Amino acid sequence: MSSQSAASPKRKTASPTSSYVSWGRYPAAKHAHVYKPAWDDQVPAILESASTASLLPYGLGRSYGDSCLNTDRNLVDCRRLNRILGFDESTGVLRCESGVTFADIIYVFLPKGWFLPVTPGTRFVTVGGAIANDVHGKNHHCAGTFGAHILQLGLHRSDHGVVVCSADLNSDMLRATIGGLGLTGVIAWADIQLRRVAGPWIDAELTPFHSLQSFLDLSRESDGRFEYTVAWLDCFAGKIPRGIFFRGNHSAAADNRLKPKHGPKLPFALPGWCLNRYAVKAFNATYYHVHAAKAAKAKQRSSPVPYDSFFYPLDSLRQWNLLYGKQGFLQYQCVIPETNLDAFEELLNRIARSGMGSFLGVLKQFGNAPSAGILSFPRPGLTLALDFAMRGASTLQLMKSLDEVVQQSGGALYPAKDARMSPAMFESSFPHWRTFVPYIDPKMSSSFWRRVTETSHA
Ligand SMILES: Cc1cc2nc3c(=O)[nH]c(=O)nc-3n(C[C@H](O)[C@H](O)[C@H](O)COP(=O)(O)OP(=O)(O)OC[C@H]3O[C@@H](n4cnc5c(N)ncnc54)[C@H](O)[C@@H]3O)c2cc1C
């Protein structure tokens, strides 16, 4: 296919375009048109033919809300731009196109003894999507975000052609593109610094905790000794939070005989009532007791677990998002400064009182690494991520009441997980967002951006 045909408005490359959703399946979106370039050299023609503020790049749609959506306008689906362009075995620097997924990178490079420098809780994300949200992982306290490991990238701009960005070249554009929500242009390729590992195993430990303080003690005590830390939180446990603290390091064991599991796939959306509060409460209690028993048996000794079950437990049920039914779900991910633990307790109280807690409560203490991007979300503090089935006004009302607490505490919400924060909440989460505006490509916009900036910069 020529570049012309990929860009031509007459040659529609995808329809019907309501099939492009985000992971939470809320809000519903309908796109006017989806471009699906197969080759990098088709992208300039797409940018050239587009009208102002009409395009948005799309990866694997693993963002939960509307930051990867562009309702009534156009998407550029980057998944077919998925070539590995080069690898330097002596330094571990990988150059690849932006549609390459983390699963691809692990598949090719883990057997050679290289792993991702930072990974989110799913490997089904693209390199472009991971840069645009500057994703974080369980090693934020020692490695910072994914963007901190991007040495260089090439960016298609509608106004300047391909712009190469690194610490020495167009460094301000690099800082805008990392965490830039796809608004600075279409990332063509990136140089990623991979990290050496002996093999696919993680020496992991788990420890139950029964208060926020004991979570913090565990987290601080683990920071210097464990590369990866994260906790699961039972948000139905009432005033005193309980949970399981997971920590681990790459194992020195070099046994490479490990194949990634391809778990079952949920074929369709379940009826919304399946995931009611009693089912979730029962799930949480069982999860807690099973893991507490495992911890008691292990007696604080670590044991080797495959990397995929340590990093990506949710990937084992593909399309698990359909569990929430046709109405979809919302994730609430905030960060609260540690100086404000009362606010954190208030947040948990409000969730417990609402009876709307989720079975995927994740708690993590971020480190002090400076942000790699202008709009990067991670900052020092405690981050909590919870899923809520979309039940209409009551769900949105709960989230609004959580916003009050986060806002008063000086905290922030994560755009990659958001489908409903107000412009005021965005302003208090990213008070310097206006310094980002000059870097926006004139042809780019998104549903998220128009919502949080009240269309003034669409
Ligand atoms: C189960 C699960 C667990 C998760 N865990 C974490 C976690 O631990 N930490 C974390 O930080 N996030 C986490 N996430 C969120 C996820 O990592 C991010 O939303 C990620 O950005 C999704 O990547 P994607 O390829 O699906 O991009 P999409 O969701 O499709 O797009 C994300 C953004 O990237 C932009 N974009 C996509 N491709 C390009 C490109 N080529 N050029 C420029 N911009 C582009 C889009 O415009 C959009 O703004 C999780 C998500 C799921 C479903």
Side-chain angles (χ1 to χ4, degrees):
M1 191 198 293
S2 73
S3 352
Q4 204 51 44
S5 65
S8 164
K10 287 193 185 122
R11 292 279 304 269
K12 300 276 177 193
T13 45
S15 66
T17 51
S18 54
S19 56
Y20 282 76
V21 291
S22 65
W23 192 244
R25 297 162 62 81
Y26 175 88
K30 219 175 186 138
H31 294 98
H33 181 61
V34 178
Y35 296 96
K36 290 183 169 184
W39 299 95
D40 183 63
D41 65 7
Q42 294 174 328
V43 176
I46 295 171
L47 294 181
E48 202 182 313
S49 70
S51 49
T52 305
S54 65
L55 293 176
L56 183 72
Y58 185 91
L60 278 172
R62 258 33 179 212
S63 300
Y64 282 67
D66 57 359
S67 65
C68 60
L69 303 177
N70 202 13
T71 289
D72 295 333
R73 305 189 191 191
N74 310 318
L75 291 177
V76 183
D77 180 338
C78 297
R79 284 176 295 181
R80 294 202 290 171
L81 306 174
N82 62 354
R83 291 161 194 89
I84 287 176
L85 303 173
F87 182 63
D88 184 337
E89 291 223 31
S90 64
T91 59
V93 176
L94 162 68
R95 176 169 293 185
C96 64
E97 289 183 342
S98 65
V100 166
T101 68
F102 280 22
D104 298 332
I105 295 175
I106 294 170
Y107 181 79
V108 176
F109 293 101
L110 184 54
K112 298 181 197 298
W114 296 96
F115 195 66
L116 293 154
V118 166
T119 177
T122 174
R123 65 197 137 180
F124 301 122
V125 297
T126 62
V127 165
I131 294 172
N133 275 324
D134 195 16
V135 300
H136 57 271
K138 298 176 176 61
N139 59 352
H140 183 267
H141 58 283
C142 42
T145 55
F146 184 65
H149 305 270
I150 298 299
L151 306 181
Q152 198 169 207
L153 58 79
L155 182 69
H156 286 287
R157 296 269 313 182
S158 67
D159 48 0
H160 297 298
V162 176
V163 177
V164 175
C165 311
S166 68
D168 303 320
L169 211 59
N170 302 308
S171 57
D172 51 346
M173 188 58 87
L174 181 69
R175 273 183 54 73
T177 300
I178 294 173
L181 303 167
L183 298 167
T184 62
V186 178
I187 299 167
W189 53 266
D191 285 351
I192 308 163
Q193 177 66 63
L194 300 185
R195 56 148 302 162
R196 266 249 175 249
V197 293
W201 300 91
I202 303 292
D203 289 330
E205 279 182 31
L206 63 175
T207 314
F209 60 89
H210 300 94
S211 68
L212 207 48
Q213 193 51 52
S214 53
F215 161 80
L216 282 172
D217 293 343
L218 269 167
S219 193
R220 286 184 191 129
E221 181 236 320
S222 306
D223 269 5
R225 295 193 298 129
F226 291 89
E227 187 172 348
Y228 301 106
T229 64
V230 75
W232 167 83
L233 187 76
D234 180 359
C235 54
F236 274 107
K239 276 194 169 174
I240 304 169
R242 69 176 177 187
I244 306 288
F245 193 87
F246 297 87
R247 54 191 185 180
N249 287 314
H250 287 281
S251 167
D255 183 355
N256 254 328
R257 284 167 304 167
L258 188 69
K259 293 260 180 294
K261 278 185 244 128
H262 291 289
K265 184 173 174 181
L266 212 62
F268 50 81
L270 294 184
W273 50 261
C274 285
L275 224 59
N276 61 43
R277 80 170 66 165
Y278 305 104
V280 176
K281 206 169 176 175
F283 171 89
N284 278 9
T286 311
Y287 186 93
Y288 176 81
H289 289 297
V290 166
H291 285 81
K294 265 193 198 169
K297 204 167 156 201
K299 296 197 183 101
Q300 288 268 314
R301 278 193 308 269
S302 64
S303 51
V305 296
Y307 78 89
D308 50 348
S309 56
F310 184 79
F311 290 113
Y312 313 117
L314 290 171
D315 286 351
S316 59
L317 179 61
R318 284 177 298 148
Q319 296 191 6
W320 61 261
N321 54 339
L322 298 180
L323 279 171
Y324 285 93
K326 286 201 176 119
Q327 293 222 68
F329 68 110
L330 297 103
Q331 184 165 103
Y332 195 85
Q333 182 165 1
C334 62
V335 56
I336 291 202
E338 260 171 67
T339 44
N340 227 326
L341 283 187
D342 289 354
F344 202 84
E345 277 166 5
E346 176 58 17
L347 210 59
L348 295 179
N349 281 341
R350 288 189 186 198
I351 295 166
R353 276 203 307 269
S354 76
M356 285 195 261
S358 76
F359 64 96
L360 291 174
V362 176
L363 184 58
K364 160 95 193 141
Q365 189 177 24
F366 279 145
N368 297 320
S371 288
I374 299 176
L375 292 184
S376 294
F377 162 71
R379 58 203 78 184
L382 290 188
T383 182
L384 173 69
L386 288 171
D387 292 346
F388 296 95
M390 180 53 183
R391 303 267 188 263
S394 58
T395 311
L396 296 174
Q397 194 48 46
L398 168 68
M399 295 195 155
K400 221 169 154 195
S401 100
L402 302 181
D403 288 352
E404 284 164 21
V405 181
V406 173
Q407 205 166 5
Q408 278 163 22
S409 76
L413 293 187
Y414 189 9
K417 309 292 181 73
D418 179 69
R420 29 78 32 210
M421 81 166 103
S422 65
M425 190 66 209
F426 181 66
E427 175 89 42
S428 67
S429 296
F430 299 93
H432 53 287
W433 68 267
R434 285 176 188 81
T435 62
F436 167 76
V437 172
Y439 299 99
I440 296 177
D441 185 298
K443 301 280 176 88
M444 300 293 162
S445 182
S446 71
S447 297
F448 173 86
W449 193 251
R450 292 191 290 280
R451 174 167 58 80
V452 298
T453 61
E454 290 188 314
T455 71
S456 56
H457 297 279

